[in-house]
Amino acid sequence: MVAGASSSCYASPLCDWLVGACMSSGGDRLLQSDTKSSRRSTLLTKSKCSSFSSSSSTNGSAGLVSNCNSNALPSLFFESNNNSYFNRKQGRLNQASSSGQVALEMEKEAMVKKKPPLESRRVVVTGMGVETPLGHDPHTFYDNLLQGISGISPIENFDCSAFPTRIAGEIKTFSTEGLVAPKLSKRMDKFMLYLLTAGKKALADGGVTEDVMAEFDKSKCGVLIGSAMGGMKVFYDALEALKISYKKMNPFCVPFATTNMGSAMLAIDLGWMGPNYSISTACATGNFCILSAANHIIRGEADVMLCGGSDSVIIPIGLGGFVACRALSEKNDDPTKASRPWDSNRDGFVMGEGAGVLLLEELEHAKSRGATIYAEFLGGSFTSDAYHITEPHPDGAGVILCIEKALAHAGISKEDINYINAHATSTPAGDLKEYQALAHCFGQNPELRINSTKSMIGHLLGASGAVEAVATIQAIKTGWVHPNINLENPDKAVDTKLLVGLKKERLDIKAALSNSFGFGGHNSSIIFAPYK
């Protein structure tokens, strides 16, 4: 009977009482304050229950005794004055309850134990990593953007001749050498490989060598890199194998198909024990991960975070799925002209693939190691359209609310924003609704410039927000904003005075906003500024 009670000690009040008493030199002293004993006994139970359970299951009550203070046990179990003690205790509790003192005491205790407000913790960007159709490092990637080079081309990964869309922002060359073990490279989905390589490149870009890493508090280092689609290729291959027999299925098909496993594998590789998970909010994923990671630092739960997004679904089921949604451009004859945000001849977005990862740090942490600071993260926000699976809200209410909340979180005014990297995917409805929301919020600012990175790399789905955050930070660093290529016949409802033209433009950025929206009505806005 004793052994059975100990094995379920998390649910047993007797065990809570027993463990608390055993850790005290005298049971009566520990039980003198109900308000203190409740929290203390719970903590002690969690730390000690496993040892009680293992010992008592083999040795019965003797096992329990061996783990407790021998002076305390007789007073708890064998002395007759215990009944009178509990009678007196119950009487006091009844009296206090009737007079309302219990509630007052609990309120006082809550005030005493209330955590003091956190000091203002600033978040800065100290490293960046990318895998994109236009380059595998932030500098090459952004140089190609500034030159107006398109990364859209015919799909080569598989035979897509039967599809109405046969173009994408496909990564043609990619290497994991020196970054991912060869055995894992063969087994993992590309979204995980892109994530791992971009994450490690962000560390290298941030000057985080092995010696620097050794000085980090690993419990305050986290990974938050999401994916909209996850390991779709691994899952697709598993389904094909299942047609033959379950015995043909890859034993890694379940873990390597889930969206969280990329972050998990990177954290395992680095030994980082802080916040570690992924967020999946369709094409808003990257922004959601960046803002959530920054909030972990602001709240003091982490000092360092790798964050962003990764996706790779340029495969038959991925292409076919978006074709079925009637979301893709069919301008196959001239791929580089297919993605054309705000242009009157746009006919849908172009799929892309890749990953973007930011290394975020608490400011003082970054300064203490002499890190190069690229930009400061000021704030951001999430909202929901609560309207439709794929269509934006007609009046842009969700987007406007998101922008306003982001400005409030950042503590700046709309006049401070003079550059916007828009979501603008090249869809007829989406581009116009976002533009109208931006014009509503910022249209009176004569310095405002708006562009869309998707005009050159296509839509990287869950990775898009993170890759576009890299482009935004590069704009802050270089003082140049990239062009909107293919904006040859602007939509009549769009005022081109707010849009970057067909060539790059010089801009001294005060604060920059980057938007990402996803199927399901997910809206996200994040704000960066030069570090001062």
Side-chain angles (χ1 to χ4, degrees), residues 418-429:
N418 65 338
Y419 170 57
I420 296 173
N421 189 299
H423 181 64
T425 62
S426 188
T427 57

Side-chain angles (χ1 to χ4, degrees), residues 407-469:
L407 291 170
H409 185 233
I412 62 175
S413 67
K414 60 185 180 181
E415 289 78 20
D416 294 318
I417 300 289
N418 65 338
Y419 170 57
I420 296 173
N421 189 299
H423 181 64
T425 62
S426 188
T427 57
D431 288 8
L432 189 55
K433 296 304 179 184
E434 181 186 13
Y435 172 83
Q436 290 169 344
L438 294 176
H440 171 84
C441 294
F442 305 103
Q444 303 305 312
N445 185 350
E447 297 180 1
L448 182 67
R449 310 304 292 150
I450 304 172
N451 63 11
S452 172
T453 305
K454 294 181 182 70
S455 64
M456 287 173 273
I457 61 173
H459 192 349
L460 274 57
L461 307 178
S464 60
V467 170
E468 289 158 17

Side-chain angles (χ1 to χ4, degrees), residues 166-443:
R166 299 181 292 277
I167 57 175
E170 191 176 48
I171 295 177
K172 304 299 186 184
T173 60
F174 171 67
S175 174
T176 62
E177 186 175 356
L179 297 172
V180 182
K183 186 179 291 186
L184 287 177
S185 292
K186 294 178 182 178
R187 292 174 172 171
M188 286 181 172
D189 190 277
K190 273 188 179 179
F191 101 91
M192 292 180 66
L193 296 176
Y194 292 158
L195 182 158
L196 291 172
T197 55
K200 291 189 174 182
K201 288 176 180 180
L203 287 175
D205 184 56
V208 181
T209 63
E210 288 187 10
D211 291 339
V212 171
M213 182 89 77
E215 299 297 320
F216 283 5
D217 178 356
K218 301 294 180 64
S219 69
K220 302 294 287 292
C221 299
V223 183
L224 209 179
I225 307 173
S227 176
M229 311 299 288
M232 188 173 279
K233 177 63 163 60
V234 168
F235 193 74
Y236 177 76
D237 290 345
L239 288 176
E240 292 298 302
L242 185 59
K243 292 177 181 178
I244 302 172
S245 169
Y246 74 91
K247 296 179 180 179
K248 298 292 185 180
M249 294 175 68
N250 183 343
F252 294 94
C253 67
V254 170
F256 284 177
T258 57
T259 59
N260 73 296
M261 199 54 65
S263 284
M265 292 297 291
L266 184 54
I268 290 169
D269 193 3
L270 300 175
W272 285 14
M273 301 174 70
N276 176 235
Y277 57 102
S278 69
I279 295 173
S280 185
T281 49
C283 304
T285 291
N287 274 11
F288 270 69
C289 291
I290 292 169
L291 176 52
S292 297
N295 283 337
H296 281 300
I297 296 175
I298 292 169
R299 292 194 298 263
E301 297 159 355
D303 293 328
V304 181
M305 293 290 297
L306 284 169
C307 56
S310 180
D311 258 321
S312 177
V313 291
I314 304 176
I315 57 176
I317 191 172
L319 180 64
F322 282 109
V323 165
C325 288
R326 300 180 181 179
L328 299 182
S329 171
E330 298 181 6
K331 296 182 183 297
N332 300 300
D333 295 337
D334 194 354
T336 63
K337 298 287 187 180
S339 185
R340 43 198 317 116
W342 299 299
D343 189 82
S344 58
N345 293 321
R346 64 192 185 280
D347 68 331
F349 75 81
V350 178
M351 290 177 64
E353 63 178 345
V357 177
L358 300 184
L359 176 62
L360 300 184
E361 285 189 67
E362 190 275 325
L363 175 60
E364 297 305 320
H365 186 279
K367 289 167 63 176
S368 68
R369 70 179 185 87
T372 299
I373 296 174
Y374 296 141
E376 181 171 2
F377 177 88
L378 296 187
S381 181
F382 315 135
T383 62
S384 171
D385 272 356
Y387 172 72
H388 191 271
I389 296 174
T390 59
E391 294 296 318
H393 197 286
D395 62 7
V399 173
I400 292 171
L401 178 63
C402 189
I403 292 170
E404 290 175 345
K405 290 177 66 176
L407 291 170
H409 185 233
I412 62 175
S413 67
K414 60 185 180 181
E415 289 78 20
D416 294 318
I417 300 289
N418 65 338
Y419 170 57
I420 296 173
N421 189 299
H423 181 64
T425 62
S426 188
T427 57
D431 288 8
L432 189 55
K433 296 304 179 184
E434 181 186 13
Y435 172 83
Q436 290 169 344
L438 294 176
H440 171 84
C441 294
F442 305 103

